[in-house]
Amino acid sequence: MDKMDHINIQQVLEQTVQETVSEAEKGEVASYIPELARQDKRRLGISVCLKDGTLLSAGDAHLPFTLQSISKIFSLMVALCEHGERYVFERVGKEPTGDPFNSIIKLETIKPHKPLNPMINAGAIAVAGMIPGATVEKRLEKIMRLLRKMTGNPELRVNYDVYQSEKQTADRNRALAYFLKESKILSGDVEETLDLYFRHCSIEVTTVEVARLAAILAADGYDIVSGEQLLPREVARICKTFMVTCGMYNASGEFAIDVGIPAKSGVAGGIMASVPQRMGLGVFGPALDEKGNSVAGVKLLQRLSDMWDLSIF
Amino acid sequence: MDKMDHINIQQVLEQTVQETVSEAEKGEVASYIPELARQDKRRLGISVCLKDGTLLSAGDAHLPFTLQSISKIFSLMVALCEHGERYVFERVGKEPTGDPFNSIIKLETIKPHKPLNPMINAGAIAVAGMIPGATVEKRLEKIMRLLRKMTGNPELRVNYDVYQSEKQTADRNRALAYFLKESKILSGDVEETLDLYFRHCSIEVTTVEVARLAAILAADGYDIVSGEQLLPREVARICKTFMVTCGMYNASGEFAIDVGIPAKSGVAGGIMASVPQRMGLGVFGPALDEKGNSVAGVKLLQRLSDMWDLSIF
Amino acid sequence: MDKMDHINIQQVLEQTVQETVSEAEKGEVASYIPELARQDKRRLGISVCLKDGTLLSAGDAHLPFTLQSISKIFSLMVALCEHGERYVFERVGKEPTGDPFNSIIKLETIKPHKPLNPMINAGAIAVAGMIPGATVEKRLEKIMRLLRKMTGNPELRVNYDVYQSEKQTADRNRALAYFLKESKILSGDVEETLDLYFRHCSIEVTTVEVARLAAILAADGYDIVSGEQLLPREVARICKTFMVTCGMYNASGEFAIDVGIPAKSGVAGGIMASVPQRMGLGVFGPALDEKGNSVAGVKLLQRLSDMWDLSIF
Amino acid sequence: MDKMDHINIQQVLEQTVQETVSEAEKGEVASYIPELARQDKRRLGISVCLKDGTLLSAGDAHLPFTLQSISKIFSLMVALCEHGERYVFERVGKEPTGDPFNSIIKLETIKPHKPLNPMINAGAIAVAGMIPGATVEKRLEKIMRLLRKMTGNPELRVNYDVYQSEKQTADRNRALAYFLKESKILSGDVEETLDLYFRHCSIEVTTVEVARLAAILAADGYDIVSGEQLLPREVARICKTFMVTCGMYNASGEFAIDVGIPAKSGVAGGIMASVPQRMGLGVFGPALDEKGNSVAGVKLLQRLSDMWDLSIF
């Protein structure tokens, strides 16, 4: 691929979007959050941010969507930067799980009662609990500041309607949070931490911004656009590792075999994929498979991985 | 036993208390609710309410303690009387479980997500959610009114300190409740239902009152003292059945074999035991075994069951 | 009922069989054992053995069927008589479980890895492992001898076709047995113990014989026909207790509420029900509900319990 | 590292072995297989096979040990080559699990009853069942032939004592196998498939051979020594992906973060680690941590990964 010029890449993106958009028929938009249920399931967009900072897009690349679980990567970044690895991993594990993202079983069966990893809901809520600040707004600001710096978009904001919608339909997450509180994994006010969690899940982006975020992770934290190291290399690597072992819910193993790129998906239909040292990809396709991943988005990434040999394995 | 006179019974009670009080050394008072942790673990008391209404007591029979899980029987009674069997058992099951009383696992693994029975915490919270009323106070009043009528004690009240203590240390119960809310088993405000649950658990009694409650259950709802049928026979039978299959937490099977009396225990150290058609027993001994049952209380009941042939089997 | 004469009882039995036989339409014969799958699902029969030894029957009371799980009660009797309570309950628990009869999960999750009770398959295999003897034949003989004595039928035998059929389709039971072997609950040869287990499950009876077995349990081990105490009272009581807490698979709690008689069912469609101090009942109806209990048989017992007030609660 | 010459690499290996050998004190040799329990826990050896085929070793690199779970990679290779991806992954999943390697729970809870991945015991037994052949010997021969070709060692053989020892202490594996048989994942004779599984686990190697195996995987199936493509690139990639997501038992996630190299460990103390396009590593250190991985071996790989920047993330 290194030899391909930008025109070629652009053509491949457009053609592949066209070829895979119909996959969306096999999926359904997320129904459990009313605001998400309204999306048009036939949308599909992709942006690529190359090593040199070049941004190329195809399809519905400029439609806004919320990060949802993709945001778990960035709250983890903030927690790691604020507290260091030791503190964070005393409260959340590093292991993938065969259970669904919202499962509560392992919280009870595993001793000590620690979420298995920061990508499942229990783990991400535990991480949200580690973001310091006097108010929810100030805690959110820590995540927003990082995301604005990484995307270069100072306008980045929370989609208030989605946030409200999540907040009102989140009793399973409340169950997880109170279990964590009981187990001393969460301290402080549970509703405030959940509030922070719902907010960071509701941050609105486009594939362009997700591609930039992915590219910085691909470059181990270095941002070619600003010329700055925006996060420690070690933090970037930890994030990419979680993206491989548990970034695609309990289809992570299959995605690793079929696509082979560190990636994180969200139930709004987004996928952030980082090809180490090569490129970042942002994908949006709201029709989800039964595991919660964008059907057409996964197919699109699989095609590109095959063509461009993007697998890390 | 029918031929024994009251003096004999009184002597047996006193002697058996003396012989079993030292069993308390093997247990510990409940530690997870601070107010309960303060109790003196060497206490042991018993009251018996015979078929003819005669009340006999021995040991620490006049010390107040809170009903805790024993109250689950009475909230179930109210729910059954208010809504009927069908409504209640569409929302909570009838099956014993091998899991601990506060386990959340089966809520996730069993489809539909219905608590297995009304004696585990998840089931009792579901039942609390069925008690109707405009406010928590009015809902509690329904349970209090029944208990006051059954005990003949119009002064019965909630121990406010224990209630506060429970409320502040109840995050596992919150987790259960929000899971039930998510599963549509609970409707209405979760915190209000939990508040009701903590209050009815904190109703203060003595073994005398518990013996009277047990005697009415033993007589299928008929109260010899007032000469009234205080609850439908069918409701009394359902309660006694749950007392056998799941009244003693996950030691119910063992208790059924060793003692054989329908009984319900609470973590404050109380046990309510109903010998069908014969007598009601109230026991108090705050030192608990690892399953949550009064160590000395169980031993005391086992001795009496052996001597008086109280097993229903 | 005590005042009813035999003619009345006979009439009630015949009429109730007629009224409930159509319930069989709602169930299906057991399909996992090929020999059982061949049964005619519309059969329904009942026998009652009264306190005075009188035997009354209605419907298909003389059709042979295999004991299946009902036999677990009798292997437990032999184990208790051979080794005593302490030995037996060190290797198998006394607690009911919310899991299906063939579940393996709790063997792994509960420490020590002991089956929860002797009525689930894991527990019954553990009990089979306790029956002593130099060969499988001699071990089986211990159970057969007890059953022949209790039923008064010296011709009682294993249905060889059913036994062969079970043996060839029993890999889940093998999985349970090897797990028990690993956990040191089973010692000795696993295939031999399984062979014994399949054989005692395949003992062929009619409802007449099951009613007699039930009557002896109802009379705490005393056999009115022979005038002998055939088993210790304590053993009879333990068996009846397990029949209440876990005799009807994971519908035991519901059966206890709806019918209230200690009972044990088998997947061939048999139910053995013991009304303490009053009567034994044997029922056969091969159409099973999804929990594995005879649909029409349960209904028939429920009607009789309502009419004759047979509930122990 | 590319600029380092062989002398430097040799020095680093020797020094790092010296620095990490004392880590073994924190672990214990595997105790559940008697033959393995006899090993000297202070051993530590490593071999590296570079891209150009150069082999360098340090420490106890010439001590023989058995592959144990490392062999799961090679039985998977044979199954994939014989049957193709589709056939194999219809019978075994691709997802990591948070459960221990010998857990049976998910076999029951996940529908259909398919092992989550081929690296846990249940999955590897399922894979062994896919290796075709008229006899166990012929089936084993398929794996041996591949291993002999890859290692270039025609003398490779099964350690008979370890095989016998495993076979006699393998009841948990038998439980898994019979569960798989029940679920139609395994067909054919269970004991024969287990026999094959125990044999391929007992193949004896040294770190030199493991390093060569790892190097061929690192080179996507190409063997620099023979100049041949020994297995399809796609098969090599699938294997490396499983090594990342579930190669180090339920410490795979932690290893991916701390070391970042696709690796597979075995309870005899071996680790096979493949750095894509760069090198293969073979490590032996029999003292295991509580997850079943070589304590000193993991530390040694972590040091080298840090120094030589071997992480794929």
Side-chain angles (χ1 to χ4, degrees):
Chain A
M1 199 205 76
D2 293 334
K3 295 164 203 150
M4 292 190 306
D5 58 26
H6 296 165
I7 295 170
N8 281 344
I9 295 175
Q10 181 69 39
Q11 282 172 345
V12 166
L13 292 180
E14 275 166 17
Q15 195 180 332
T16 315
V17 165
Q18 270 191 318
E19 286 166 11
T20 53
V21 67
S22 64
E23 292 288 319
E25 295 302 328
K26 297 176 188 162
E28 294 300 332
V29 298
S31 59
Y32 71 100
I33 303 172
E35 275 297 314
L36 297 184
R38 294 191 200 159
Q39 296 182 105
D40 174 1
K41 81 176 196 179
R42 290 151 177 266
R43 298 297 178 186
L44 183 61
I46 185 166
S47 297
V48 176
C49 181
L50 301 179
K51 210 179 172 177
D52 63 3
T54 310
L55 251 160
L56 299 163
S57 295
D60 301 310
H62 297 281
L63 280 182
F65 60 95
T66 50
L67 280 174
Q68 299 300 332
S69 290
I70 301 173
S71 68
K72 293 169 178 173
I73 291 291
F74 302 96
S75 58
L76 176 62
M77 275 180 200
V78 172
L80 284 167
C81 292
E82 293 277 341
H83 300 289
E85 274 187 62
R86 191 187 183 127
Y87 178 97
V88 171
F89 294 122
E90 272 168 14
R91 285 155 182 84
V92 65
K94 299 173 180 172
E95 296 310 316
T97 166
D99 295 324
F101 66 95
N102 63 355
S103 179
I104 204 162
I105 296 174
K106 285 261 191 318
L107 278 191
E108 182 171 328
T109 56
I110 289 190
K111 307 279 161 62
H113 299 306
K114 194 168 106 170
L116 271 173
N117 66 64
M119 298 297 110
I120 51 174
N121 286 14
I125 293 167
V127 169
M130 300 176 203
I131 313 289
T135 63
V136 173
E137 285 74 17
K138 286 186 177 156
R139 292 164 72 187
L140 179 68
E141 194 50 34
K142 286 194 188 287
I143 301 172
M144 293 303 289
R145 205 179 306 140
L146 175 67
L147 282 167
R148 286 180 183 136
K149 214 164 49 172
M150 289 177 78
T151 58
N153 177 359
E155 308 290 317
L156 217 64
R157 59 169 204 89
V158 167
N159 179 319
Y160 191 77
D161 293 338
V162 173
Y163 155 65
Q164 282 298 322
S165 194
E166 298 217 28
K167 196 167 176 167
Q168 283 153 26
T169 54
D171 291 315
R172 178 71 85 99
N173 284 327
R174 271 190 192 87
L176 293 168
Y178 280 108
F179 203 111
L180 292 170
K181 174 89 173 175
E182 173 85 10
S183 312
K184 318 275 186 223
I185 297 289
L186 268 192
S187 51
D189 187 83
V190 166
E191 283 297 333
E192 274 188 28
T193 286
L194 284 169
D195 197 45
L196 173 60
Y197 174 73
F198 301 140
R199 288 187 200 212
H200 74 60
C201 283
S202 304
I203 294 170
E204 201 164 70
V205 291
T206 65
T207 58
V208 172
E209 281 143 351
V210 173
R212 286 210 49 191
L213 293 167
I216 295 167
L217 273 168
D220 281 345
Y222 178 75
D223 177 19
I224 187 80
V225 179
S226 66
E228 280 181 73
Q229 184 75 25
L230 296 184
L231 51 141
R233 186 178 170 184
E234 186 53 25
V235 169
R237 291 205 159 175
I238 289 173
C239 292
K240 278 182 282 184
T241 309
F242 280 123
M243 288 161 78
V244 167
T245 56
C246 36
M248 302 295 283
Y249 304 118
N250 50 338
S252 299
E254 184 165 12
F255 187 87
I257 285 174
D258 294 345
V259 185
I261 309 174
K264 183 74 206 83
S265 63
V267 290
I271 305 176
M272 170 174 77
S274 291
V275 189
Q277 316 314 329
R278 292 176 66 186
M279 69 176 75
L281 300 113
V283 174
F284 171 58
L288 307 180
D289 60 27
E290 74 283 359
K291 300 286 180 74
N293 296 312
S294 171
V295 183
V298 167
K299 200 76 190 169
L300 179 52
L301 285 169
Q302 187 174 358
R303 289 271 181 100
L304 294 178
S305 179
D306 287 349
M307 268 185 290
W308 294 343
D309 195 17
L310 302 180
S311 170
I312 62 170
F313 298 106
Chain B
M1 199 204 77
D2 293 334
K3 293 167 206 149
M4 292 192 304
D5 61 24
H6 297 167
I7 294 169
N8 281 343
I9 296 175
Q10 181 68 38
Q11 282 172 344
V12 167
L13 291 180
E14 274 165 18
Q15 195 180 332
T16 316
V17 164
Q18 270 191 319
E19 286 166 10
T20 53
V21 67
S22 63
E23 293 287 319
E25 295 303 328
K26 298 175 187 162
E28 293 300 332
V29 298
S31 59
Y32 71 102
I33 302 172
E35 274 298 315
L36 298 184
R38 293 190 201 160
Q39 296 182 101
D40 174 2
K41 81 176 198 181
R42 291 152 177 266
R43 298 297 179 184
L44 182 62
I46 185 166
S47 296
V48 176
C49 181
L50 300 179
K51 209 178 171 176
D52 63 2
T54 309
L55 251 160
L56 299 163
S57 297
D60 300 309
H62 297 282
L63 279 184
F65 60 95
T66 50
L67 282 173
Q68 299 300 332
S69 290
I70 301 173
S71 67
K72 292 170 179 173
I73 292 290
F74 303 96
S75 58
L76 176 63
M77 274 180 200
V78 172
L80 284 168
C81 292
E82 292 277 340
H83 299 288
E85 275 188 62
R86 190 187 183 128
Y87 177 97
V88 170
F89 295 123
E90 272 168 13
R91 286 155 181 82
V92 65
K94 300 173 180 171
E95 297 309 315
T97 166
D99 295 323
F101 67 94
N102 63 355
S103 179
I104 203 163
I105 295 174
K106 284 260 191 320
L107 278 191
E108 182 172 328
T109 56
I110 289 190
K111 307 280 161 60
H113 299 305
K114 196 169 106 171
L116 271 173
N117 67 63
M119 297 298 109
I120 51 174
N121 287 14
I125 293 166
V127 169
M130 300 176 203
I131 313 290
T135 63
V136 173
E137 285 73 16
K138 285 186 178 157
R139 292 163 72 186
L140 179 68
E141 194 51 35
K142 286 194 188 288
I143 301 171
M144 292 303 287
R145 205 178 306 141
L146 175 67
L147 282 167
R148 285 179 183 137
K149 215 164 47 172
M150 289 176 79
T151 57
N153 178 359
E155 308 290 318
L156 217 63
R157 60 169 204 93
V158 167
N159 180 319
Y160 192 78
D161 293 337
V162 172
Y163 154 64
Q164 282 298 323
S165 194
E166 299 217 27
K167 196 167 176 167
Q168 283 153 27
T169 54
D171 290 315
R172 178 72 85 97
N173 284 328
R174 272 190 190 87
L176 292 168
Y178 281 108
F179 203 111
L180 292 169
K181 174 90 173 174
E182 173 84 10
S183 313
K184 318 274 186 223
I185 298 290
L186 267 193
S187 52
D189 187 83
V190 167
E191 282 297 332
E192 274 187 29
T193 286
L194 284 169
D195 197 46
L196 173 60
Y197 174 73
F198 301 139
R199 287 187 200 212
H200 75 59
C201 283
S202 304
I203 294 169
E204 201 164 71
V205 292
T206 66
T207 57
V208 173
E209 282 143 350
V210 173
R212 286 210 49 191
L213 294 167
I216 295 168
L217 273 169
D220 282 345
Y222 179 76
D223 177 19
I224 188 80
V225 179
S226 67
E228 280 180 74
Q229 184 75 23
L230 296 183
L231 51 141
R233 185 178 170 184
E234 186 54 25
V235 168
R237 290 205 159 174
I238 289 172
C239 291
K240 278 183 282 184
T241 310
F242 280 122
M243 288 160 78
V244 168
T245 55
C246 35
M248 301 297 282
Y249 304 117
N250 49 339
S252 299
E254 184 165 11
F255 187 87
I257 285 174
D258 294 347
V259 185
I261 309 174
K264 183 75 205 82
S265 63
V267 290
I271 305 176
M272 170 175 76
S274 291
V275 189
Q277 316 312 330
R278 292 175 66 184
M279 69 175 74
L281 299 115
V283 175
F284 170 59
L288 307 180
D289 59 27
E290 74 282 359
K291 298 286 181 73
N293 296 313
S294 171
V295 183
V298 167
K299 201 75 190 171
L300 180 51
L301 285 170
Q302 187 173 359
R303 289 271 181 102
L304 294 178
S305 180
D306 287 349
M307 268 187 290
W308 294 343
D309 195 17
L310 302 180
S311 170
I312 62 169
F313 297 105
Chain C
M1 199 204 74
D2 293 332
K3 294 164 204 150
M4 292 191 305
D5 59 25
H6 297 167
I7 294 170
N8 281 342
I9 295 175
Q10 181 68 39
Q11 283 172 347
V12 167
L13 291 180
E14 275 165 19
Q15 195 180 331
T16 317
V17 165
Q18 270 191 320
E19 286 166 11
T20 52
V21 67
S22 64
E23 291 288 319
E25 295 302 328
K26 298 177 187 161
E28 294 299 332
V29 297
S31 59
Y32 71 100
I33 302 173
E35 273 299 313
L36 297 184
R38 295 191 199 159
Q39 297 182 102
D40 174 0
K41 82 177 197 180
R42 289 151 178 267
R43 298 296 179 184
L44 183 62
I46 184 166
S47 297
V48 176
C49 181
L50 301 180
K51 211 178 169 175
D52 63 4
T54 309
L55 251 160
L56 298 163
S57 297
D60 301 309
H62 297 281
L63 280 183
F65 60 94
T66 50
L67 281 174
Q68 298 299 332
S69 290
I70 301 172
S71 67
K72 293 169 178 173
I73 291 291
F74 302 96
S75 58
L76 176 63
M77 276 181 199
V78 173
L80 284 167
C81 292
E82 292 277 341
H83 300 289
E85 274 188 62
R86 190 186 183 126
Y87 177 97
V88 170
F89 294 123
E90 273 168 13
R91 286 154 180 83
V92 64
K94 300 173 180 172
E95 295 310 315
T97 166
D99 295 323
F101 66 96
N102 63 355
S103 179
I104 203 163
I105 295 175
K106 284 262 191 317
L107 278 191
E108 182 172 327
T109 56
I110 289 189
K111 307 279 162 62
H113 299 305
K114 194 167 107 170
L116 271 172
N117 67 63
M119 298 296 110
I120 51 174
N121 287 14
I125 293 168
V127 169
M130 299 176 204
I131 312 289
T135 62
V136 173
E137 285 74 16
K138 285 185 178 157
R139 293 163 72 187
L140 180 68
E141 194 50 35
K142 286 195 187 287
I143 301 172
M144 293 303 288
R145 205 178 307 140
L146 175 67
L147 282 168
R148 285 180 184 136
K149 214 163 50 171
M150 290 177 79
T151 58
N153 177 359
E155 308 290 317
L156 216 64
R157 59 169 204 91
V158 167
N159 179 319
Y160 192 77
D161 293 337
V162 172
Y163 155 63
Q164 283 298 324
S165 194
E166 298 218 26
K167 195 167 177 169
Q168 282 152 27
T169 53
D171 291 315
R172 178 72 84 98
N173 284 327
R174 272 190 190 87
L176 292 168
Y178 281 108
F179 203 112
L180 293 170
K181 174 89 173 174
E182 172 85 10
S183 313
K184 318 274 186 224
I185 297 290
L186 267 193
S187 53
D189 187 83
V190 167
E191 283 297 333
E192 274 188 28
T193 286
L194 283 169
D195 197 47
L196 173 60
Y197 175 72
F198 301 139
R199 287 187 199 212
H200 75 58
C201 283
S202 304
I203 294 170
E204 202 164 70
V205 292
T206 65
T207 58
V208 173
E209 282 143 352
V210 173
R212 287 209 49 191
L213 293 167
I216 295 168
L217 273 169
D220 281 346
Y222 178 75
D223 178 20
I224 187 81
V225 179
S226 66
E228 280 180 73
Q229 185 76 24
L230 296 184
L231 52 143
R233 187 178 170 185
E234 186 54 24
V235 169
R237 290 205 160 175
I238 289 172
C239 292
K240 277 182 283 184
T241 311
F242 280 123
M243 288 160 78
V244 168
T245 56
C246 36
M248 302 297 282
Y249 304 117
N250 50 339
S252 299
E254 184 165 11
F255 187 87
I257 285 174
D258 294 346
V259 184
I261 308 174
K264 181 75 205 82
S265 63
V267 289
I271 304 176
M272 170 173 77
S274 291
V275 188
Q277 316 311 330
R278 293 176 66 185
M279 69 176 75
L281 299 113
V283 175
F284 170 59
L288 307 179
D289 60 26
E290 74 283 359
K291 300 284 181 74
N293 296 313
S294 171
V295 183
V298 167
K299 200 76 191 171
L300 179 52
L301 286 169
Q302 187 174 357
R303 288 272 181 99
L304 294 178
S305 180
D306 286 349
M307 268 187 291
W308 294 342
D309 195 17
L310 303 180
S311 171
I312 62 170
F313 298 104
Chain D
M1 200 204 76
D2 294 332
K3 293 166 205 151
M4 293 191 303
D5 59 26
H6 296 166
I7 295 170
N8 281 343
I9 295 175
Q10 181 68 38
Q11 283 172 347
V12 167
L13 291 180
E14 275 166 18
Q15 195 180 331
T16 316
V17 165
Q18 271 192 319
E19 287 166 10
T20 53
V21 66
S22 64
E23 292 287 320
E25 295 303 328
K26 299 176 188 161
E28 293 301 331
V29 296
S31 58
Y32 70 101
I33 302 172
E35 274 298 314
L36 297 184
R38 295 192 200 157
Q39 298 181 101
D40 175 1
K41 81 176 196 181
R42 290 150 177 268
R43 299 297 178 184
L44 183 61
I46 186 167
S47 297
V48 176
C49 180
L50 301 180
K51 210 180 171 175
D52 63 4
T54 309
L55 251 161
L56 299 163
S57 296
D60 300 311
H62 297 281
L63 279 183
F65 60 95
T66 51
L67 282 174
Q68 298 301 331
S69 289
I70 301 173
S71 67
K72 292 170 179 174
I73 291 291
F74 302 96
S75 59
L76 177 63
M77 275 181 200
V78 172
L80 284 168
C81 291
E82 292 277 342
H83 299 289
E85 274 187 62
R86 190 187 183 127
Y87 177 97
V88 170
F89 294 122
E90 273 168 14
R91 285 155 182 83
V92 65
K94 300 173 179 171
E95 296 310 316
T97 166
D99 295 323
F101 66 94
N102 63 355
S103 178
I104 203 163
I105 296 174
K106 285 262 192 316
L107 278 191
E108 182 171 328
T109 56
I110 289 190
K111 307 280 161 61
H113 299 306
K114 195 168 106 171
L116 272 173
N117 66 64
M119 297 298 110
I120 51 174
N121 287 14
I125 293 168
V127 169
M130 299 176 204
I131 312 289
T135 63
V136 173
E137 285 74 16
K138 286 187 177 156
R139 292 163 73 186
L140 180 68
E141 193 50 35
K142 287 194 187 287
I143 301 171
M144 292 303 288
R145 205 178 307 140
L146 175 67
L147 282 167
R148 285 179 183 138
K149 214 162 51 170
M150 289 176 79
T151 58
N153 177 359
E155 308 291 318
L156 217 64
R157 58 169 206 91
V158 167
N159 180 319
Y160 192 78
D161 292 338
V162 172
Y163 155 64
Q164 283 298 323
S165 195
E166 298 217 28
K167 196 165 176 169
Q168 283 153 26
T169 53
D171 290 316
R172 178 71 85 98
N173 284 328
R174 271 189 192 88
L176 293 169
Y178 281 108
F179 203 112
L180 292 170
K181 174 89 173 174
E182 173 85 9
S183 312
K184 318 274 186 222
I185 297 290
L186 266 193
S187 52
D189 188 83
V190 166
E191 282 298 332
E192 275 188 28
T193 287
L194 283 169
D195 197 46
L196 173 60
Y197 174 73
F198 300 140
R199 287 188 200 213
H200 75 58
C201 283
S202 304
I203 294 169
E204 202 165 71
V205 291
T206 65
T207 57
V208 172
E209 281 143 350
V210 173
R212 286 209 50 190
L213 294 167
I216 295 168
L217 273 170
D220 281 346
Y222 178 75
D223 177 19
I224 187 81
V225 178
S226 65
E228 280 180 73
Q229 184 75 24
L230 295 184
L231 51 141
R233 185 176 171 187
E234 186 55 23
V235 168
R237 291 206 159 174
I238 289 172
C239 292
K240 278 182 282 184
T241 310
F242 280 123
M243 288 160 77
V244 168
T245 56
C246 35
M248 302 296 283
Y249 304 117
N250 50 339
S252 299
E254 185 165 11
F255 187 87
I257 286 175
D258 295 346
V259 184
I261 309 174
K264 182 75 205 83
S265 63
V267 290
I271 305 176
M272 170 174 76
S274 291
V275 188
Q277 315 313 331
R278 291 176 67 185
M279 70 176 72
L281 299 114
V283 175
F284 171 59
L288 307 180
D289 60 26
E290 75 283 357
K291 300 286 181 73
N293 297 312
S294 171
V295 183
V298 167
K299 200 75 189 171
L300 178 52
L301 285 170
Q302 188 174 357
R303 289 272 181 100
L304 294 178
S305 179
D306 287 350
M307 268 186 290
W308 294 342
D309 195 17
L310 302 180
S311 171
I312 63 169
F313 297 106

